[in-house]
Amino acid sequence: MNYDNHAARLLFLLEKGKEKAPTTPCREVWEELLEVDSSDASLLMARLSKVMELPRLNIASLKDEFPEQQDSWSYWESQVNSAFMAQNVHAKWETFINHIDNHTLTYLRMASALLQSKANTKLIADADLLSIRHTLDTILLEVLSSDFPADVKKYVVRNIRKIIDSIDEYKLTGALPLIDAVEAALGHLAVDRQYKSILTDTELGKRFLDTLASMANVVTVAVGLPQLTQAIALLSN
């Protein structure tokens, strides 16, 4: 599946949801679908809000790419929005999934196919993301215990956590947050000399910069943005 296709991401979640028993607790199903621990209610709500945004993003993409398909989404949009409005996360899954009928899935499948016909992106391999995430986890712990200047440390930590979050939610949000996170970390090199010095003149900083380069290479393959890797080479000089 192409996770940069809003319709495909929504369709994937709904099809997985149709496989769950209607009597299963609603919250339990969403925790499984969104890969959230049962103890982390705030993360569940944050990710659920991103799912609820998918219909709007999907329709915006359809309007951009297929303006002649005006209102072709009216049925599935109505059903999906009704499902979200009617669901009770403390009740049974049927409060949501009973609104998702076969017509909804069929029309969403058509929307996904239309958007895919215009897509020029590729899937990022799980192994690539997991490898980078593991490296970032290690770097994060070292940065937290480092003697970096306080302002620089806060900025690096914030960017690492943002990249980690974008990796964890790639299947939900696609590659755009990955691009934004890497660009934020890179762009600051151009305006903050102290930050640039830490990243280019210390061993730990260089490891973080190398990891950004690895992430940029992965994203380049997925969405075709060679300027990311070029920017690293330019800004680190």
Side-chain angles (χ1 to χ4, degrees):
M1 185 185 77
N2 189 329
Y3 295 114
D4 290 292
N5 181 329
H6 303 304
R9 296 203 304 274
L10 180 58
L11 178 64
F12 175 79
L13 290 170
L14 295 180
E15 288 181 330
K16 286 293 183 181
K18 291 291 281 186
E19 298 172 2
K20 308 302 178 184
T23 55
T24 305
C26 189
R27 175 172 173 169
E28 184 178 309
V29 174
W30 281 122
E31 286 170 348
E32 181 178 346
L33 292 178
L34 302 180
E35 300 179 1
V36 177
D37 188 89
S38 60
S39 64
D40 200 340
S42 62
L43 181 59
L44 175 63
M45 291 299 102
R47 290 189 178 175
L48 187 55
S49 70
K50 292 175 182 177
V51 179
M52 296 173 71
E53 190 179 16
L54 287 175
R56 182 184 64 80
L57 296 174
N58 187 356
I59 291 170
S61 294
L62 288 169
K63 286 181 177 179
D64 289 343
E65 300 289 353
F66 301 95
E68 73 281 1
Q69 294 288 328
Q70 200 68 245
D71 296 332
S72 64
W73 50 79
S74 58
Y75 183 83
W76 67 256
E77 180 195 21
S78 175
Q79 294 301 113
V80 172
N81 287 341
S82 293
F84 281 120
M85 294 298 292
Q87 78 167 347
N88 182 343
V89 294
H90 298 296
K92 297 177 181 178
W93 178 234
E94 63 189 7
T95 63
F96 176 88
I97 205 61
N98 281 357
H99 295 271
I100 309 301
D101 58 12
N102 288 333
H103 291 302
T104 300
L105 298 178
T106 296
Y107 295 142
L108 256 179
R109 204 170 287 118
M110 292 170 60
S112 175
L114 281 172
L115 292 176
Q116 193 59 41
S117 70
K118 291 291 186 76
N120 59 358
T121 58
K122 299 178 182 179
L123 180 68
I124 300 177
D126 288 346
D128 291 335
L129 291 177
L130 288 175
S131 175
I132 292 171
R133 193 196 193 287
H134 177 73
T135 300
L136 288 172
D137 285 336
T138 301
I139 292 175
L140 176 59
L141 293 176
E142 293 184 34
V143 170
L144 287 169
S145 61
S146 73
D147 58 358
F148 286 177
D151 289 345
V152 173
K153 180 184 292 190
K154 288 179 181 178
Y155 193 82
V156 173
V157 167
R158 185 163 66 248
N159 275 284
I160 291 176
R161 286 175 172 160
K162 185 176 180 180
I163 297 172
I164 289 174
D165 286 344
S166 67
I167 290 173
D168 290 345
E169 296 182 353
Y170 168 61
K171 293 180 181 180
L172 179 60
T173 60
L176 185 58
L178 291 169
I179 297 170
D180 290 343
V182 173
E183 286 184 340
L186 290 178
H188 203 61
L189 288 168
V191 298
D192 188 331
R193 289 186 178 180
Q194 189 175 45
Y195 173 77
K196 181 178 181 179
S197 176
I198 290 294
L199 264 58
T200 57
D201 298 337
T202 69
E203 187 274 336
L204 181 54
K206 289 177 181 177
R207 282 170 52 207
F208 178 47
L209 198 57
D210 287 343
T211 306
L212 288 177
S214 297
M215 175 63 83
N217 286 332
V218 167
V219 174
T220 294
V221 171
V223 299
L225 289 176
Q227 60 266 35
L228 279 178
T229 48
Q230 293 168 5
I232 291 177
L234 290 172
L235 291 170
S236 60
N237 289 332

